[in-house]
Every structure is written in C-alpha cells, then in structure tokens.
Amino acid sequence: MEASRPDTATRILDVSERLFVEHGFEATSLRMITQQAEVNLAAVNYHFGSKDALFESVFMRRLAPLIASCLAELDELEAREEKLSVESLVTTFIRPCLALSKDPARGGALFVRLLSRTLVENHRLLRETISQQYSVFVQRYSRAFHHALPELGVEELAWRMHFAFSVMFNAFAGNDVLKIFTRSQIVSARDPDMIVKYLVPFVVAGLVSPVEG
Amino acid sequence: MEASRPDTATRILDVSERLFVEHGFEATSLRMITQQAEVNLAAVNYHFGSKDALFESVFMRRLAPLIASCLAELDELEAREEKLSVESLVTTFIRPCLALSKDPARGGALFVRLLSRTLVENHRLLRETISQQYSVFVQRYSRAFHHALPELGVEELAWRMHFAFSVMFNAFAGNDVLKIFTRSQIVSARDPDMIVKYLVPFVVAGLVSPVEG
DNA sequence: ATCAAATTAAAACGTAAGTTTGAAACGCTT
DNA sequence: AAGCGTTTCAAACTTACGTTTTAATTTGAT
C-alpha cells in the first residue's frame, strides 16, 4: 500500500514551508506553490483566505510545538534539579531544536531557517501576534538563567542571553556568515549532532565567563 | 548655503539601501525607490542597467571598504605584535563594524542589516561574485586564529569561528531572536558601544574555552 | 553660440502577481 | 438515488511590476 496523499491544505502547507525558506515570502508566488503541490490555484484562498494568512498558518504549525517542547524540558529540569546548571538550561533549548532538525515529518531544519528568515525580514506577524502569545518563553528562560547565574546584573544577563540564542539559532538555521566569503561548505554541511558537539561548549563558555572588573 | 543635493545615482543608492533593508529586495519596487529619491522611474535602468545591478551597486559600495578596513587592522596588528591575542583579533573585526555603525554617512548600521538580510536570502550575488572576491578575508582570519589558538583542530576552529562571526554579525545587525517573544526593546535599543562592551567578552570566552576531553 | 553627448522625463509595453468568480465534481446523509 | 454542503477547477479580473522607448532637456567642450 502506498502512502496516502495528504489533503489539499496539508500539501499546500508542506510546499509553502519549503518555498518560503528557499525564496522568501515575497518571491514565492501562489502559482509556484499550487503547481508544486499539485492543487488548484484557488485552493490557497479557499483554504487559508490569503497569502498572508497562509504564511501565518505555515509558521504557527511548527512554532507552537517547538515552544511547547522547550518549556516542557524546562519544567522537567526544574522539577528534577534544585540548582540548574547553565549547560542543562542551554540543552533544554537545543534538544527540541535538534529533534526538530532531525524529523523530516515536522519540516526538519526547514522551519528553523524559516524562523530565521522571518526574523530578519521583520514580519508583522512576529511583531504582533507571536510576541504576545509567547512572551512567557523569554520570561521563563530569563528567570532560569538568572537563578543559574545570580552574579550577573540584569543588563549583562539580557545581553548574554541575546548572544547565546543568536548563535544557537543561527547554527540550526545554517546561517554561516563565513560561507559568504568562501566556497568551502565544511561547516554548512551540517550534521545536527556535530553542531551540538561544538555549539554547547561555545555558548556555555560565553554565558558563564566571569564579569569584568 | 544649503547642502547640495547629491546626484541622481547617489540618491538612488541611498534610498535603495534603506528600502532594501526595510522591505527586502523583492518587496522593494523601483517605483518606491524612485519616488522617495525624487528621480524619474527610468533613472534606475539608465544609471545601473537593472534592479539586480542596482542591488549589487548598493551592496558593494559598503562591503569593499568594510573588508578593507578589517584587513588593514589585521595587517597593522600582525606587524605590531608577535603573538596575537584572541581578543585583539576579534577587535580587528569589531572595530570597523563599530565605526561603520556609528557613521551615518556610510549608511550606519543599515549595511550590516542589509548584509544580514542578503545572507539569509541567499542571493546569487553572495554565492558567486563575493565569495570569489573576498575569500582572502576568511583565509586571513583562519590563519590568524590558528596561530592564536594552536591547540584547536581545524574542524573545531572552523566551528568556533563560525559561531563567533555569527554572533558578532547578528549583534551589529540588531537581529535579536528574543525580541520575537517580548515587546521589551532593551537589548535592541542598541548603543553600538554597549554592544561591544558585552559582545567581546562573550565571543572571546567561547573561542578560547578549553577543548573537551 | 553651437552642437554633440549625457541625462531626465512621460508614457507605454508585456508579464506576472494575488484574488475573485461561477460552474463542475465530490462526499456524505437521508 | 436524491439532495446538499464542501471542495475543486478553469478562467478571468485588477493591479503592480521591471523594463523599454522616444522625446525633451540639460550639460560641457569648442
């Protein structure tokens, strides 16, 4: 028996996710999407209402579970340990990202790249909808890191978290600044596990480094 | 006497730089550009040939001097010191970025954001033209970091440089992952000098952290 | 002042975009 | 099998895009 063909809406979501990552939102046309999804052009507007609403659907399908996974890991860790290590905190974020990256059924590494693109493109969706729904994400991690690194002031901690999530995020998204300048794809030919092997120590070292006098 | 109005080509470049950053290449139309630059629609194609060529001009106007500044700092440092510290190496990259960020006449922080967008959008320009012209950039930094951190294997060093440039780059571009989830703009309300105060220690700590047994 | 080159201007061209429409096909309950 | 809401389909609509064209204007050297 063959794998049953997903319904129209799902086919549209899957193809859109890939095309939005490859070409960006503006450069991806509904005709490209519907052609590759083998559905009628009007199907997008019928099922989602508009191209903008389609984008939001593509986005939220992956983001909600990812955030939930991170917070679940955080819950579990806080229930298990009294004093949280920075490395274990970092891992609560990295493990769900890693799991997502290795699971083609959930879009694999595609969604992290989409998130990255969307962040840089500064979509209205991010500024409005998501920042309201998931502000708890930052709050939880801020509290946890504050307990793990009590010697850091709030400003310094905010910066270090900013840097830490920035580098983790771009690592999973495969955004290699240096590949701009060189053809070698050594780093970008990414085995997700390899990323973590080098990523965690780097991030932890930056987070725990002693404050300057 | 009033400031003389720049010539048409310059006005187009200035407006394009801002609009490409704000809306991206695809979402920026020649009509938006020429309208805000107060020039005729046909001026873009007359002076630059095409929208693609305009983008390349916008991009190279800033990139070439920035790269040159970094390499000049590197030259100067290598001529002055025998053994290079990681921090001084990091600074050869950060100082030109900082100078650029603080100089509105050269586009200020705009160009770093444009570079960031272009990287994520994976433009043909980056894959082809620039990687050939500026591969020396990566080579120089790779050699310098290898001398400063001889105990690191080539693979581990490549990853750490990848992470280091990633976080520096995103810091200057103002790409704050966490701002997705929270309205507070504490981190993003960026005084460039503040960035450096916290950025350098973070990056250096990650780069020099001991290799794991 | 003149003339050739460079630049600006207005208008139109062909194409592709997102969206809408109305009919046909389908699936399910009765 | 009939009827009805849901979904699919082909086609057309409006709009905006990048680009080209042709003429008007400005510029600069003789």
Side-chain angles (χ1 to χ4, degrees), chain B residues 8 31 39-43 46-47:
Chain B
T8 300
R31 284 169 176 83
V39 301
N40 188 269
L41 171 61
Y46 175 77
H47 284 281

Side-chain angles (χ1 to χ4, degrees), chain A residues 61-73:
Chain A
R61 179 172 70 145
R62 306 294 187 203
L63 181 64
L66 179 63
I67 299 289
S69 286
C70 291
L71 294 182
E73 294 247 2

Side-chain angles (χ1 to χ4, degrees), chain A residues 70-137:
Chain A
C70 291
L71 294 182
E73 294 247 2
L74 209 48
D75 287 336
E76 191 191 351
L77 183 68
E78 289 176 336
R80 198 172 58 235
E81 310 278 346
E82 182 68 21
K83 175 73 173 172
L84 306 182
S85 75
V86 170
E87 179 170 344
S88 63
L89 275 178
V90 166
T91 307
T92 64
F93 176 75
I94 283 189
R95 199 149 45 197
C97 288
L98 192 59
L100 180 65
S101 292
K102 296 166 86 168
D103 185 0
R106 287 193 295 156
L110 276 182
F111 174 67
V112 188
R113 295 196 56 198
L114 178 63
L115 190 51
S116 169
R117 280 199 83 125
T118 310
L119 169 66
V120 171
E121 288 175 5
N122 200 22
H123 271 261
R124 175 195 49 77
L125 173 64
L126 288 191
R127 291 196 309 273
E128 298 171 7
T129 310
I130 294 177
S131 65
Q132 292 174 3
Q133 263 176 284
Y134 295 107
S135 63
V136 62
F137 178 85

Side-chain angles (χ1 to χ4, degrees), chain A residues 55-67:
Chain A
F55 181 81
E56 183 163 343
S57 294
V58 167
F59 203 85
M60 298 310 279
R61 179 172 70 145
R62 306 294 187 203
L63 181 64
L66 179 63
I67 299 289

